[in-house]
Amino acid sequence: MLGPLEMEIMDVLWTNGRSNVRDVVQHLQRPLAYTTVMTTLDRLFKKKLLGREKRDRAFFYVPALSREDWGQMRAGVWVSG
């Protein structure tokens, strides 16, 4: 289960694709500290819901599964292949 901020961040990434922390901060519906978003992205990465790639000095995050797959997993119909 994801918290409201985690879901909001996942929505940003599903909508905008690969993004760094600054990109996510700019697309959120409410003002949040950069460090709050960075910590939440790291937590989602550790939960294996995001992939991460380092470019220069920034990490870029990408959803590990689609919005549809997430919905199916939450509904309990996830079938591992």
Side-chain angles (χ1 to χ4, degrees):
M1 203 64 168
L2 297 181
L5 177 56
E6 290 174 319
M7 262 323 292
E8 190 175 347
I9 287 175
M10 289 300 295
D11 283 333
V12 167
L13 290 165
W14 281 320
T15 300
N16 299 301
R18 186 175 60 187
S19 303
N20 61 23
V21 178
R22 183 178 43 82
D23 296 334
V24 174
V25 167
Q26 290 176 347
H27 286 96
L28 291 172
Q29 298 299 313
R30 55 188 164 143
L32 287 171
Y34 181 95
T35 53
T36 300
V37 175
M38 181 176 61
T39 300
T40 305
L41 284 163
D42 186 59
R43 198 168 46 232
L44 289 166
F45 171 74
K46 288 177 179 172
K47 290 181 179 183
K48 300 187 187 304
L49 294 174
L50 296 178
R52 163 166 93 180
E53 167 188 327
K54 189 163 189 171
R55 285 200 164 171
D56 297 321
R57 293 181 2 196
F59 281 112
F60 283 81
Y61 294 87
V62 63
L65 57 150
S66 70
R67 189 186 310 260
E68 294 76 23
D69 288 343
W70 170 251
Q72 289 177 355
M73 193 170 81
R74 284 185 52 216
V77 295
W78 183 255
V79 178
S80 55

